[in-house]
Amino acid sequence: MRSSPDEYEVWPGSPAPLGAHWDGTGTDFALWSAGAQAVDLCLFDPDGTEHRLRLQENTHQVWHGRLPGVGPGQRYGYRVHGGWDPGSGLRHNSAKLLVDPYARALDGEQSLHPALFGFRVEGGDGPDPRDSAPYVPRGVVVHDPFPWDGDRRPATPWSDTVIYEVHVKGATRCHPEVPPALRGTYAGLAQPAFVEHLRSLGVTAVELLPVHHFVSEPHLLRRGLTNYWGYNTLGFFAPHAAYSSSGTAGQQVTEFKAMVKTLHAAGIEVILDVVYNHTAEGDHTGPTLSFKGIDNGGYYRLREGDPSRYQDYTGCGNTLDVRRPQVLALLMDSLRYWVTEMHVDGFRFDLAAALARSLHDVDRLSAFFDVVHQDPVVSRVKLIAEPWDVGPGGYQVGNFPPLWTEWNGKYRDTVRDVWSGAHVGVRDLAYRLTGSSDLYRSDGRRPFASVNFVTAHDGFTLADLVTYQRKRNDANGEDNRDGESHNRNWNCGVEGPTDDPAITVLRGRQVRNHLATLLLSTGVPMLTAGDELGRTQRGNNNAYCQDTELSWLDWADVDEDLRAFVARLLRLRRASPVLRQEAFFEGHEVPGSGGTRDVAWFAPGGAQLTTGDWFDNDLQTVGMYLDGRGIRHRDQRGRPVQDDSYLVQLHAGAEPIRVHLPGPPWADGYELVVSTEWPTGAPPRPAVVAPGPIEVPARCVWLLRVLRRP
């Protein structure tokens, strides 16, 4: 039942800003659509009664109106009238309630129903006439004067940053020290028990899997599954409502801000994983929820020669057309909003190569980069690219411009190859251990342009990486076809869980080897939540649709030794500038050292690597010497930075090996600080080692502090 529009007075209002904005006496509504013939603003009462109000004003393709007396908490949406001709890219259908792209909060669930679709799913010509309003979320007018007093951004330098990739719900859904009503929510993430876990580890930033409001794909709903990860955005300004413990009528905005403020107080930055490359509307067979019905050709890249289809560089059915000013403005307005209003500290851009495509090729000079670089707000926060998409030429690791850091996929692949026993030599490993100068130096970037990781949300957990040779994704309902099949890993000789104590010990060491390599490498380390606890997904390496115990952190089964191992290495990293270099190594002699270099590489026999060694694919052992007297950056007052020197000895071979530790001028002796042969990494007793021959255990990493005579 719809009441008469005469109950509301509609004033002209303003075409800017877009969205719904309350000023204390009324709310201005503004929606961009170049192709619309008419636009209805739809207001909803608490009982679901809908009031349709025609917006009479159209200024520069923006439909707008002001409603005096309408304020915070009001649910709303739009119906857009216009042409229906999918063959020409037109998909207007006024039977479909559309989400405002600029809505600050969304309320209500998406329910699977034929009315979600703009076309007739049963077949037939013309648009589908069924009303979708009962089955889609609605925007909420929000006013949230949050008390940010006292909030201080940690502003952690890149070289000091340690990222923890984590899912808001999965982090605390099973945490016994988080109140049950707060588990799996923004408030849960801000609870002392979880914040202290981050602090005790030494994490400086959380990278949250998508928190923009998202919905589940119809094909998942048909299988009784939901989208857990959240890479299916519907609202680019709205915090995902299901992560709110306090309500969905705007309370989710307040709760998110409170979480950020709490994490900032603990010295932890908040980075958002954002999905601006595609939306939740999928391909031509997908639902009409917002952009398709507002202006299909204005928001999406349509296929040349067949605008009834979408250009899909994302593997998700569609690609937002960032070449268009209005889409680029949407993206930038969203980014600025999350920085200025929500106080986040940075962004990781999912499938960022898709944003940089001008025509077909990925373009370092695309409008997207230009706008980001000149923006006085967005250019000053942390910017991380996932530097690939699924289109031709989409793998762009190392090719993003200055200001950007990148998920270094080559780092992941190299480290996995080495510890899986692949005969790949040490040449590529040396680049990865020292900040990947081959990828990031030529354009003036620093080592911290490389975000180093060995696992992420997408793929095996670290425990599974050393336990399963084959993925076990049957629960996803795709006959195990989904997920990566080539994982560059080794199951230690037995597939799946085992009671064999020798295999269990070896797997534990292999986990520590991956972590030690990661945390001793120059660059920005990223840990995947739960890897420090020994978390398993039982072999599922694509748990995007598993909103179950399979994905949630299991706080009842924690490997305390492994947690201590990670915390130990991060303490060492934090205390050792030589492990957090801000400039690339030169390999030059350190003045006054007697002949050492800022970085040097040693073969097992004790000599520095030769050209032949660098190209020996069978070499599985290398010593990386880091001289703390050769650090090239200075402190904030311009003083030289000096540190201890270290020798990192990596041995990926299956048998112990006898190596020769270099003597003077490199060292007069060594203190063994960390060894992956021990569960916590700590030697059972102080271990001072003389230069010369010594046996290194099979598959092991040693960190040795250099000792020098006074």
Side-chain angles (χ1 to χ4, degrees):
M1 177 70 70
R2 301 182 183 91
S3 60
S4 167
D6 295 338
E7 295 182 19
Y8 290 90
E9 190 175 8
V10 184
W11 295 357
S14 171
L18 295 173
H21 297 272
W22 180 70
D23 63 3
T25 62
T27 300
D28 281 283
F29 295 88
L31 177 77
W32 174 83
S33 176
Q37 297 170 1
V39 172
D40 293 335
L41 170 66
C42 306
L43 304 183
F44 291 87
D45 293 341
D47 64 1
T49 300
E50 178 183 350
H51 308 260
R52 296 186 187 180
L53 309 168
R54 181 63 52 90
L55 296 180
Q56 301 293 339
E57 307 296 328
N58 183 353
T59 305
H60 304 310
Q61 302 177 343
V62 175
W63 301 80
H64 55 94
R66 174 177 175 80
L67 273 68
V70 169
Q74 175 65 60
R75 276 72 165 177
Y76 74 99
Y78 290 102
R79 297 180 186 274
V80 176
H81 302 259
W84 173 265
D85 182 8
S88 300
L90 299 176
R91 293 182 178 270
H92 297 297
N93 183 342
S94 61
K96 309 307 169 185
L97 184 72
L98 305 175
V99 167
D100 178 5
Y102 279 75
R104 302 294 177 88
L106 295 179
D107 176 52
E109 299 287 335
Q110 173 189 285
S111 303
L112 184 61
H113 190 276
L116 290 179
F117 302 88
F119 63 95
R120 300 171 186 261
V121 294
E122 298 89 351
D125 297 329
D128 181 86
R130 288 168 287 201
D131 183 6
S132 69
Y135 313 106
V136 296
R138 294 150 191 190
V140 182
V141 177
V142 172
H143 179 66
D144 182 49
F146 186 79
W148 283 114
D149 307 27
D151 181 61
R152 295 184 60 186
R153 297 178 185 272
T156 307
W158 265 121
S159 57
D160 296 341
T161 296
V162 178
I163 296 173
Y164 188 82
E165 190 198 29
V166 64
H167 189 283
V168 170
K169 182 175 183 178
T172 64
R173 177 63 179 78
C174 298
H175 203 303
E177 297 178 45
V178 172
L182 304 183
R183 293 175 187 168
T185 68
Y186 302 122
L189 203 72
Q191 284 294 294
F194 187 73
V195 174
E196 181 52 35
H197 172 68
L198 299 176
R199 286 172 55 89
S200 66
L201 276 183
V203 167
T204 71
V206 290
E207 183 177 301
L208 304 181
L209 266 68
V211 297
H212 290 172
H213 192 98
F214 62 88
V215 294
S216 294
E217 298 89 331
H219 73 86
L220 289 179
L221 296 174
R222 292 186 188 106
R223 297 204 299 264
L225 300 170
T226 58
N227 189 312
Y228 172 66
W229 287 349
Y231 294 89
N232 204 46
T233 304
L234 180 58
F236 292 108
F237 293 78
H240 188 57
Y243 297 158
S244 171
S245 65
S246 51
T248 59
Q251 296 96 330
Q252 60 265 54
V253 177
T254 304
E255 188 171 323
F256 183 93
K257 292 178 178 179
M259 175 197 71
V260 171
K261 188 174 182 179
T262 298
L263 290 169
H264 282 178
I268 297 170
E269 294 183 303
V270 178
I271 298 170
L272 303 187
D273 194 337
V274 291
V275 188
Y276 292 111
N277 53 75
H278 72 279
T279 77
E281 294 184 302
D283 63 10
H284 63 286
T285 66
T288 296
L289 306 172
S290 179
F291 309 93
K292 276 184 183 177
I294 294 171
D295 197 313
N296 186 53
Y299 277 111
Y300 293 117
R301 296 184 72 146
L302 305 183
R303 191 180 299 174
E304 291 184 18
D306 184 6
S308 69
R309 301 293 191 267
Y310 297 88
Q311 192 68 52
D312 183 12
Y313 293 118
T314 67
C316 300
N318 63 60
T319 304
L320 279 172
D321 195 348
V322 187
R323 301 169 301 176
R324 295 182 177 273
Q326 198 59 45
V327 180
L328 191 57
L330 170 72
L331 188 155
M332 295 306 300
D333 289 345
S334 170
L335 291 171
R336 280 191 292 269
Y337 172 77
W338 286 94
V339 175
T340 58
E341 296 294 324
M342 309 296 259
H343 284 212
V344 305
D345 304 285
F347 304 95
R348 178 264 189 189
F349 291 79
D350 177 66
L351 300 181
L355 299 173
R357 289 185 180 271
S358 293
L359 294 174
H360 298 287
D361 297 329
V362 178
D363 184 1
R364 283 167 55 103
L365 302 178
S366 72
F368 169 67
F369 289 132
D370 291 343
V371 172
V372 168
H373 286 195
Q374 62 80 40
D375 190 274
V377 173
V378 179
S379 65
R380 297 184 181 182
V381 300
K382 287 182 164 70
L383 301 173
I384 305 170
E386 182 184 33
W388 50 79
D389 64 19
V390 302
Y395 191 77
Q396 293 290 322
V397 172
N399 289 333
F400 276 65
L403 279 189
W404 290 80
T405 65
E406 301 177 17
W407 269 27
N408 190 343
K410 291 186 177 181
Y411 182 96
R412 173 200 58 207
D413 294 348
T414 298
V415 171
R416 287 188 179 192
D417 280 343
V418 167
W419 290 115
S420 71
H423 288 262
V424 293
V426 300
R427 185 168 180 261
D428 200 51
L429 177 65
Y431 278 121
R432 307 304 150 234
L433 291 172
T434 55
S436 295
S437 60
D438 58 327
L439 301 176
Y440 305 115
R441 186 171 192 164
S442 63
D443 59 4
R445 286 190 283 176
R446 301 281 195 91
F448 47 73
S450 177
V451 174
N452 300 329
F453 67 105
V454 290
T455 64
H457 67 275
D458 185 4
F460 281 134
T461 69
L462 191 49
D464 288 353
L465 192 72
V466 301
T467 302
Y468 296 91
Q469 205 72 23
R470 300 182 301 277
K471 62 187 180 183
R472 306 295 178 89
N473 298 352
D474 299 279
N476 297 352
E478 299 177 39
D479 297 323
N480 208 34
R481 295 188 304 270
D482 61 308
E484 178 61 56
S485 296
H486 180 51
N487 293 284
R488 301 173 183 264
N489 67 315
W490 179 53
N491 63 8
C492 297
V494 174
E495 182 68 6
T498 180
D499 295 328
D500 187 327
I503 298 296
T504 300
V505 169
L506 175 57
R507 286 174 174 171
R509 183 181 297 186
Q510 286 286 79
V511 165
R512 295 189 293 274
N513 286 336
H514 284 85
L515 288 168
T517 306
L518 173 66
L519 299 179
L520 296 175
S521 295
T522 297
V524 179
M526 185 184 78
L527 294 164
T528 302
D531 278 351
E532 80 283 8
L533 309 176
R535 184 175 80 92
T536 177
Q537 289 179 173
R538 299 193 291 276
N540 191 319
N541 74 350
N542 190 36
Y544 78 103
C545 56
Q546 297 298 320
D547 188 3
T548 67
E549 291 87 351
L550 186 76
S551 297
W552 307 332
L553 299 193
D554 184 0
W555 295 96
D557 185 18
V558 172
D559 185 336
E560 293 293 353
D561 285 340
L562 183 58
R563 176 154 57 175
F565 175 83
V566 173
R568 178 180 180 82
L569 276 168
L570 285 176
R571 283 195 303 272
L572 279 165
R573 183 182 180 90
R574 186 166 58 249
S576 305
V578 75
L579 300 176
R580 297 180 284 104
Q581 298 276 351
E582 294 182 17
F584 286 111
F585 295 97
E586 297 288 351
H588 293 166
E589 184 174 322
V590 177
S593 69
T596 69
R597 300 178 182 276
D598 61 345
V599 63
W601 305 92
F602 289 92
Q608 293 187 59
L609 293 185
T610 66
T611 301
D613 293 329
W614 284 119
F615 289 91
D616 180 0
N617 286 344
D618 292 326
L619 184 60
Q620 294 183 290
T621 309
V622 68
M624 178 177 67
Y625 182 94
L626 306 174
D627 198 315
R629 300 166 298 180
I631 298 173
R632 296 178 57 225
H633 64 267
R634 299 181 295 168
D635 68 14
Q636 291 183 342
R637 303 181 68 177
R639 297 169 298 193
V641 175
Q642 291 206 349
D643 191 14
D644 290 334
S645 300
Y646 290 95
L647 178 66
V648 181
Q649 190 70 53
L650 298 97
H651 175 50
E655 301 295 334
I657 189 170
R658 197 167 185 80
V659 304
H660 194 285
L661 301 180
W666 305 98
D668 296 311
Y670 299 89
E671 176 191 3
L672 183 58
V673 179
V674 172
S675 173
T676 58
E677 64 187 303
W678 294 302
T680 67
R685 62 189 65 83
V688 175
V689 181
I694 190 170
E695 185 173 89
V696 176
R699 299 190 177 95
C700 191
V701 178
W702 279 1
L703 177 65
L704 301 129
R705 181 181 286 117
V706 168
L707 304 177
R708 294 190 175 93
R709 294 190 180 94

